[in-house]
Amino acid sequence: MTAYDPSEWSDLFVAAAGAGAALAGLVFVAVSINIERILRFPGLPGRALETVLLLLGVVLVSVVGLFPGQSHTALGLELLAIGLGIAAVAARQPVVFSADGPPPAAWLVTRWTLRLAGTAPFVIAGASLIAEAGGGLYWAGAGIALAITAAVANAWVLLVEILR
């Protein structure tokens, strides 16, 4: 069945690995150009790390998806490890709006939504692959799309919103 056969997904994984790596490189360059501004705002260095981690997640998921001859169980365990690992590091980043007080509720919701959107589908994909039920690699495809979207949203804040 396509949802649980990693070999059926190689074209997506090749494309996603290239796109994720290219976007991560662009984020590194963009952050380095705006590093002084980013460091002036509490919480933005952590947001920069989250952005790179989300794109790294896309690359890692894609690379492990391309390992030849591995079982769906092995790939499921790898996706679980990647999703949980990136989520753990992202969750440790502070959600700060300003040094003067706590962030607005909408800001907290947005940050956590982006974090979860870019990591939870990989965890679900891993569990689903192991169980051979629940959608399998379709969750990984959704995770790739959502992680790239979340990373682009974060990059927008890091590159445009800090200039306002």
Side-chain angles (χ1 to χ4, degrees), residues 50 53 84-95 112 115-116 119:
E50 284 176 37
L53 284 174
L84 290 172
I86 290 174
V89 174
R92 292 181 47 108
Q93 301 312 305
V95 179
W112 279 101
R115 288 173 175 175
L116 289 173
T119 57

Side-chain angles (χ1 to χ4, degrees), residues 23-144:
L23 288 169
L26 289 172
V27 168
F28 263 106
V29 170
V31 167
S32 68
I33 289 170
N34 280 332
I35 193 68
E36 288 181 29
R37 284 190 176 110
I38 290 170
L39 292 174
R40 276 191 241 141
F41 290 90
L44 283 187
R47 193 166 197 154
L49 176 60
E50 284 176 37
T51 304
V52 172
L53 284 174
L54 290 170
L55 295 169
L56 176 64
V58 169
V59 172
L60 290 175
V61 164
S62 299
V63 168
V64 300
L66 290 169
F67 290 168
Q70 74 177 327
S71 69
H72 62 87
T73 303
L75 180 56
L77 291 170
E78 293 159 358
L79 294 182
L80 274 172
I82 291 166
L84 290 172
I86 290 174
V89 174
R92 292 181 47 108
Q93 301 312 305
V95 179
V96 181
F97 185 68
S98 73
D100 300 331
W107 212 69
L108 287 170
V109 169
T110 301
R111 285 291 297 280
W112 279 101
T113 300
L114 292 176
R115 288 173 175 175
L116 289 173
T119 57
F122 298 138
V123 174
I124 297 168
S128 178
L129 277 172
I130 293 166
E132 279 191 281
L137 287 169
Y138 287 102
W139 282 104
I144 288 168

